Amino acid sequence: MNYVSTRDRARFADAQEAVLKGTAPDGGLFTMDILPLFWQDDINKLCTMSYQQAAAFILKRYLVGYPEQELEEYCKLAYSTFSHPDVAPLVKLSRNLYSLELFHGKTCAFKDVALQLLPHLMVSAAKREGKIRETVILTATSGDTGKASLEAFADVDGTRIGVFYPDGGVSDVQRLQMTTQSGGNVNVFAIEGNFDDAQSGVKAIFADTALRERLMESGIALSSANSINWGRLAPQIVYYFWSYTRLLNSGEIKMGDKIDVCVPTGNFGNILAAYIAKKSGLPIERLICASNANNVLTDFFNTGIYDRNRDLLKTDSPSMDILVSSNLERLIFMLAGDDVTRELMAQLSKTGRYEAPADLRKKIVDAGFGAFCADDEEASGQIKKTWEAVGYLCDTHTAVALCAAQKPAQPPAP
Ligand SMILES: *Cc1c(COP(=O)(O)O)cnc(C)c1O
């Protein structure tokens, strides 16, 4: 029982249960209470492995209880759908600046990296559980999660998937990718409202215990493919280790050298995975959280106040158009514990706002976090600049990260 709810440390689950349920029954997110540690020996071993092998090696420590052979098989299956032999190639842009390309999967969203694996993890967990006949996945999306989940779960036996997207809030390409998805078990819904409305709706369904019990009577389990599911988060930890070993293999760094990571951020899943890698021993110095004009997180990291009471803006980087970054809850839990998390999350749902206590703010700074935002104009300028300087064409989300990566380190918050 390595997984606990962020709102109650006494509420245990094993990895299979965490993956199956998606969220904890008390509204919290299942999180590993004690993280595994990787030593230089482990990192050396990773250097000689394929992505598939490295993923299985790392994941067996973050998905404790899944049989090792199963994980090896799933990683082979999931990552054979990627078009690049490296799965996630690390491309050098300039001295000390690299781009980790996570878009070589089926739907070109970085989310394929985790979502191609998730159905395997869920079906295996449902089989072991015994009573579950069908797992129904409900997913809110700002565009990318939806198409990547549909593609991952399409025609997977024992599963059914429903995706909710904000009408008018996704790009035409994303809408078409979703609404033309083939498969007998896929459903797509446009909702009136924005991504946060979609996400709150899905969370409310999950929190409805009576409904879940009724469904369970007919062998139907509800689960989530959003990055609030531990099974989404764990596969994202892998590619930070992978990047580090690519840098070692190409002689760009020596073992033990610290790297900074800069992550385009929406729901705070991807950058949290980087923090987890760091806590597990990967030599990472700064964790730079990059946001677009929806800069709730930038404000939070710089002032300690999280305030979602503002308009959600539509930007050119729609996968980051989010006001409630769910996975921040996991960071708060890891740094401050379940009592503080429960308190702050209660404030958030009541007033849409909370203020981190001073000791939590200090821990966030000490953990290496910094945050920057870039609006559409700055980001499109960055796309042009990067293209002209190094001949690399980056997308709008990467552009936000490139802007943030080049801003100087902030002095620690007072
Ligand atoms: C989903 C997504 C993000 C945001 O990632 P989170 O892990 O939710 O913070 C950023 N960029 C792209 C391209 C995405 O698809």
Side-chain angles (χ1 to χ4, degrees):
M1 295 291 186
N2 297 273
Y3 305 83
V4 296
S5 166
T6 46
R7 298 186 194 179
D8 181 2
R9 224 177 209 132
R11 203 183 270 275
F12 291 104
D14 59 16
Q16 280 95 339
E17 192 184 341
V19 166
L20 264 187
K21 291 204 169 133
T23 50
D26 59 4
L29 309 181
F30 285 119
T31 300
M32 254 181 148
D33 208 7
I34 299 164
L35 289 174
L37 277 179
F38 289 80
W39 307 92
Q40 291 195 352
D41 255 10
D42 297 312
I43 296 173
N44 273 327
K45 275 188 207 142
L46 288 169
C47 283
T48 61
M49 293 183 193
S50 67
Y51 191 93
Q52 286 81 344
Q53 292 168 326
F57 183 88
I58 293 166
L59 283 174
K60 68 174 189 244
R61 306 210 202 160
Y62 291 105
L63 293 167
V64 183
Y66 275 92
E68 195 170 332
Q69 268 184 330
E70 256 185 40
L71 286 177
E72 282 167 14
E73 184 59 29
Y74 299 158
C75 289
K76 255 191 226 154
L77 288 169
Y79 299 121
S80 66
T81 66
F82 280 63
S83 62
H84 196 286
D86 256 7
V87 178
L90 188 71
V91 176
K92 183 167 184 169
L93 299 186
S94 61
R95 203 177 73 85
N96 288 345
L97 187 66
Y98 306 81
S99 166
L100 178 64
E101 294 188 342
L102 297 169
F103 55 77
H104 296 281
K106 279 186 172 176
T107 73
C108 310
F110 98 78
K111 297 172 172 69
D112 288 329
V113 179
L115 279 165
Q116 283 297 314
L117 201 64
L118 190 63
H120 300 297
L121 298 176
M122 276 189 181
V123 169
S124 152
K127 272 204 193 110
R128 200 192 60 142
E129 205 275 345
K131 293 194 291 287
I132 297 168
R133 195 170 48 77
E134 188 169 65
T135 308
V136 177
I137 312 297
L138 299 179
T139 293
T141 186
S142 55
D144 282 347
T145 301
K147 65 193 185 146
S149 326
L150 287 163
E151 182 65 48
F153 282 93
D155 288 331
V156 172
D157 280 347
T159 72
R160 180 174 294 277
I161 175 161
V163 167
F164 302 84
Y165 72 89
D167 198 11
V170 301
S171 75
D172 283 342
V173 175
Q174 288 170 327
R175 181 175 50 80
L176 286 167
Q177 279 177 308
M178 288 190 277
T179 54
T180 61
Q181 175 68 48
S182 59
N185 62 341
V186 302
N187 300 278
V188 183
F189 308 94
I191 65 135
E192 276 174 30
N194 57 35
F195 169 74
D196 287 313
D197 298 321
Q199 176 153 276
S200 316
V202 169
K203 277 189 184 164
I205 298 173
F206 287 138
D208 186 338
T209 329
L211 173 73
R212 293 180 82 135
E213 277 167 12
R214 222 175 67 217
L215 288 171
M216 206 51 225
E217 281 165 20
S218 22
I220 297 171
L222 285 184
S223 193
S224 160
N226 280 100
S227 61
I228 49 182
N229 190 316
W230 183 261
R232 264 290 297 282
L233 208 57
Q236 299 183 174
I237 303 168
V238 171
Y239 45 69
Y240 294 102
F241 284 91
W242 178 253
S243 306
Y244 195 83
T245 59
R246 295 313 93 184
L247 291 169
L248 283 174
N249 284 354
S250 59
E252 304 277 325
I253 57 170
K254 297 186 309 296
M255 179 63 85
D257 284 351
K258 289 191 171 172
I259 60 168
D260 294 340
V261 298
C262 178
V263 186
T265 304
N267 222 13
F268 207 73
N270 204 8
I271 191 163
L272 184 76
Y275 171 67
I276 292 172
K278 176 175 179 172
K279 274 205 69 160
S280 288
L282 191 68
I284 293 177
E285 181 86 53
R286 295 171 71 212
L287 297 147
I288 305 162
C289 173
S291 301
N292 62 25
N294 293 298
N295 55 2
V296 177
L297 286 166
T298 320
D299 288 349
F300 174 67
F301 283 112
N302 293 333
T303 66
I305 296 171
Y306 194 97
D307 191 353
R308 62 155 300 176
N309 300 308
R310 57 179 95 190
D311 291 333
L312 184 85
L313 308 170
K314 278 189 197 179
T315 74
D316 292 338
S317 40
S319 299
M320 294 151 65
D321 289 347
I322 290 176
L323 291 180
V324 181
S325 298
S326 301
N327 277 296
L328 189 59
E329 176 169 348
R330 284 192 165 108
L331 179 68
I332 293 170
F333 168 76
M334 289 169 137
L335 294 175
D338 52 354
D339 289 338
V340 173
T341 309
R342 203 169 46 245
E343 166 72 33
L344 296 185
M345 292 306 123
Q347 281 178 33
L348 181 67
S349 74
K350 214 161 76 206
T351 64
R353 175 184 192 283
Y354 61 80
E355 185 163 354
D359 55 334
L360 172 57
R361 286 191 68 191
K362 181 173 178 324
K363 283 180 185 160
I364 291 173
V365 173
D366 292 347
F369 281 98
F372 297 97
C373 56
D375 61 16
D376 283 349
E377 196 185 327
E378 217 182 317
S380 60
Q382 183 66 51
I383 293 176
K384 181 165 188 275
K385 216 161 71 190
T386 308
W387 173 251
E388 286 171 356
V390 292
Y392 189 80
L393 186 61
C394 70
D395 95 300
T396 51
H397 304 75
T398 307
V400 169
L402 281 172
C403 291
Q406 289 166 77
K407 301 197 180 179
Q410 287 153 307

